[in-house]
């Protein structure tokens, strides 16, 4: 019985997630503001690696956006503007691929922050925990009235802050969070394919 109940719960959750991604439900809410859109940086060059992660000013030693990734960032921004989604500001990781994507979105002022920068093994466990806590606070804090917040960051950051279920977060995927205050938030939608936003904008 427990297995059946768990399966039914999984079906209900999956159905709810699917419903939440319908533009007729999601877009009117986003136009009202009050949400946080977490974007994993768009597509990168798979033959590159971060070889000097302690020196974030050494851009040449970082994995970069591919040409397709740059197109994805521009297209996302164009779709957000066409869909009239109001953005207060954009907070990006200090890795260049995230900063470049945030600027290519062209939807608001961009501020880079170590709080949403991937740490991994090159920073202490305490620092990784601090960053996870900082990101959780961002996800839980409502933006200014009538606006949304955009965060351009990395998969490990979201996993640490919001749970292991984001281990499959794809490049350019957008996760829409509703801040509930008091350190709490909920997932409203996951839009894996960036071209989905372009389709909605047509």
């Amino acid at each position: 019985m427990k297995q059946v109940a768990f399966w039914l719960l999984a079906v209900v959750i999956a159905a709810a997630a699917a419903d939440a991604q319908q533009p007729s439900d999601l877009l009117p809410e986003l136009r009202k503001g009050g949400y946080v859109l977490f974007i994993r940086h768009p597509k990168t060059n798979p033959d590159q690696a971060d070889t000097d992660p302690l020196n974030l000013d050494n851009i040449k030693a970082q994995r970069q956006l591919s040409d397709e990734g740059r197109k994805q960032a521009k297209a996302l921004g164009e779709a957000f503007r066409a869909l009239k989604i109001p953005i207060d500001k954009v907070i990006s990781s200090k890795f260049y691929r995230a900063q470049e994507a945030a600027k290519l979105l062209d939807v608001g002022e961009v501020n880079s922050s170590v709080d949403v920068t991937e740490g991994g093994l090159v920073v202490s466990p305490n620092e990784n925990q601090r960053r996870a806590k900082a990101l959780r606070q961002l996800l839980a804090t409502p933006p200014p009235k009538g606006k949304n917040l955009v965060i351009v960051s990395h998969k490990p950051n979201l996993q640490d802050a919001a749970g292991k279920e984001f281990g499959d977060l794809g490049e350019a995927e957008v996760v829409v969070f509703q801040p509930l205050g008091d350190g709490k938030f909920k997932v409203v939608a996951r839009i894996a394919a960036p071209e989905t936003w372009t389709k909605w904008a047509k």
Side-chain angles (χ1 to χ4, degrees):
M1 287 295 293
K2 287 184 177 179
Q3 286 183 331
V4 172
F6 179 79
W7 179 82
L8 286 172
L9 179 61
V11 169
V12 169
I13 291 172
D19 287 343
Q21 291 185 25
Q22 297 303 312
S24 58
D25 297 326
L26 181 62
L27 295 178
E29 291 301 310
L30 290 178
R31 290 182 183 121
K32 292 177 188 175
Y35 294 86
V36 177
L37 285 72
F38 182 101
I39 306 173
R40 183 185 176 192
H41 60 75
K43 197 170 257 318
T44 53
N45 288 307
D47 59 344
Q48 294 177 336
D50 297 318
T51 56
D52 188 15
L54 286 173
N55 181 12
L56 295 178
D57 291 328
N58 187 0
I59 295 172
K60 291 183 178 180
Q62 297 177 22
R63 194 166 88 251
Q64 305 288 325
L65 292 181
S66 64
D67 288 341
E68 182 181 353
R70 293 183 183 95
K71 289 177 183 176
Q72 287 177 330
K74 289 179 181 178
L76 267 177
E78 288 170 2
F80 288 168
R81 292 193 297 275
L83 291 166
K84 294 181 169 53
I85 297 173
I87 307 297
D88 174 44
K89 62 182 177 181
V90 182
I91 300 175
S92 86
S93 156
K94 286 186 171 290
F95 277 99
Y96 186 71
R97 55 184 174 272
Q99 291 191 56
E100 184 180 18
K103 291 172 183 174
L104 288 172
L105 287 172
D106 193 24
V107 292
E109 179 187 357
V110 176
N111 297 299
S112 63
S113 171
V114 72
D115 288 347
V116 298
T117 300
E118 185 175 349
L121 298 176
V122 300
V123 303
S124 70
N126 283 347
E127 174 59 14
N128 275 320
Q129 290 173 15
R130 188 201 67 76
R131 294 183 191 189
K133 183 178 179 181
L135 178 52
R136 280 195 294 272
Q137 189 61 38
L138 285 171
L139 298 177
T141 303
K145 189 173 181 180
K147 299 286 186 176
N148 300 287
L149 171 67
V150 170
I151 299 172
V152 183
S153 183
H154 310 269
K155 176 170 64 175
N157 294 75
L158 194 59
Q159 281 184 273
D160 290 346
K164 296 299 182 185
E165 60 267 33
F166 293 102
D168 62 348
L169 189 73
E171 291 182 319
E173 182 169 349
V174 181
V175 186
V176 181
F177 289 92
Q178 181 180 11
L180 302 176
D182 196 26
K184 298 177 182 178
F185 51 83
K186 71 175 183 179
V187 178
V188 173
R190 287 183 65 170
I191 295 88
E195 57 268 23
T196 299
W197 295 93
T198 301
K199 290 177 183 176
W200 289 349
K202 290 181 178 178

